[in-house]
């Protein structure tokens, strides 16, 4: 079985530009256009959040699609399920807007769509070929891949830094 893909965050790259949030909202709009999304009612909702945590630190937060998802276990209407790719999804038709999943999410990434009275979360852009937030990030702070791919890139970056620092110290 192939390993599921995840969205990974390279926090030190995040500039706090909010491009990922905007792209996410547009991707979840009816017409998939920024211009049209601005006038849609109800307004399209973002599913990724940029949190400011220090004067120079911004952290993108997105649904982790937890292996043992507290939201899935807490859903009283059966609206939350996991698909074959490992994504935890909310069925708008079954959601009753009780917000139990919102209370159970340890990351605070399940939103409340008050006009529709439903909960919503990152759906990994299931109806699109690319993840809007990952594609929109100019700093490449968001990465979409397997744990092995992401870990390999981190190890490679660490090795490059070590080689560079060693070369500089020898001079």
């Amino acid at each position: 079985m192939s390993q599921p893909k995840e969205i990974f965050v390279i926090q030190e790259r995040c500039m706090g530009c909010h491009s990922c949030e905007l792209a996410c909202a547009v991707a979840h709009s009816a017409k998939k256009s920024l211009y049209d999304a601005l006038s849609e009612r109800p307004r399209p909702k973002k599913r990724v959040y940029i949190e400011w945590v220090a004067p120079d630190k911004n952290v993108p937060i997105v649904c982790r699609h937890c292996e043992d998802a507290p939201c899935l276990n807490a859903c009283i209407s059966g609206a939350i399920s996991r698909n074959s790719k490992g994504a935890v999804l909310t069925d708008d038709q079954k959601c009753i807007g009780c917000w139990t999943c919102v209370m159970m999410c340890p990351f605070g990434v399940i939103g409340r769509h008050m006009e529709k009275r439903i909960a919503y979360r990152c759906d990994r852009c299931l109806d699109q070929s690319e993840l809007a937030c990952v594609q929109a990030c100019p700093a490449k702070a968001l990465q979409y891949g397997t744990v092995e791919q992401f870990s390999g890139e981190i190890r490679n970056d660490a090795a490059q830094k070590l080689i560079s620092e060693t070369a500089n110290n020898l001079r």
Side-chain angles (χ1 to χ4, degrees), residues 155-166:
R155 285 191 306 272
N156 190 299
D157 288 348
Q160 293 293 334
K161 284 179 187 177
L162 286 171
I163 289 170
S164 177
E165 289 172 9
T166 302

Side-chain angles (χ1 to χ4, degrees), residues 2 9 11 15 18 27 32 34 45 60 69 72 76 78 84 88 90-91 102 118 125-126 129 132 135 154 162 167:
S2 65
V9 175
Q11 183 273 320
M15 304 180 300
H18 301 272
K32 311 290 188 237
L34 175 59
K45 304 291 186 182
L72 189 149
I76 61 173
S84 61
V88 177
T90 302
D91 182 339
V102 174
I118 58 168
C125 296
L126 288 178
S129 60
Q135 293 299 310
I154 296 298
L162 286 171

Side-chain angles (χ1 to χ4, degrees), residues 2-171:
S2 65
Q3 190 178 46
K5 287 185 168 184
E6 306 285 339
I7 299 173
F8 295 96
V9 175
I10 303 174
Q11 183 273 320
E12 56 273 4
R13 289 187 186 173
C14 182
M15 304 180 300
C17 70
H18 301 272
S19 293
C20 56
E21 291 179 335
L22 184 60
C24 180
V26 171
H28 290 90
S29 68
K31 297 210 176 156
K32 311 290 188 237
S33 151
L34 175 59
Y35 180 76
D36 292 327
L38 292 172
S39 61
E40 281 183 23
R41 296 291 180 262
R43 283 224 161 130
K45 304 291 186 182
K46 65 182 180 180
R47 285 136 167 88
V48 59
Y49 306 88
I50 301 298
E51 294 297 322
W52 176 81
V53 292
D56 62 343
K57 302 285 185 214
N58 298 288
V59 180
I61 307 287
V62 67
C63 181
R64 303 304 314 146
H65 300 276
C66 303
E67 192 171 316
D68 184 21
C71 60
L72 189 149
N73 297 326
C75 182
I76 61 173
S77 67
I80 301 175
S81 62
R82 184 180 308 278
N83 73 4
S84 61
K85 294 182 179 180
V88 177
L89 305 172
T90 302
D91 182 339
D92 294 357
Q93 303 303 311
K94 292 181 180 178
C95 182
I96 61 172
C98 68
W99 318 132
T100 304
C101 58
V102 174
M103 291 183 280
M104 295 305 296
C105 178
F107 301 101
V109 294
I110 301 174
R112 298 184 315 158
H113 200 306
M114 299 306 283
E115 296 95 340
K116 293 182 176 182
R117 191 133 178 90
I118 58 168
Y120 63 93
R121 73 180 70 244
C122 169
D123 59 5
R124 292 188 181 160
C125 296
L126 288 178
D127 61 342
Q128 300 171 39
S129 60
E130 301 288 337
L131 274 69
C133 59
V134 173
Q135 293 299 310
C137 182
K140 305 296 181 207
L142 297 174
Q143 302 284 317
Y144 186 59
T146 65
V147 171
E148 278 85 20
Q149 289 170 330
F150 184 72
S151 296
E153 289 177 28
I154 296 298
R155 285 191 306 272
N156 190 299
D157 288 348
Q160 293 293 334
K161 284 179 187 177
L162 286 171
I163 289 170
S164 177
E165 289 172 9
T166 302
N168 286 337
N169 289 338
L170 292 174
R171 291 182 188 163

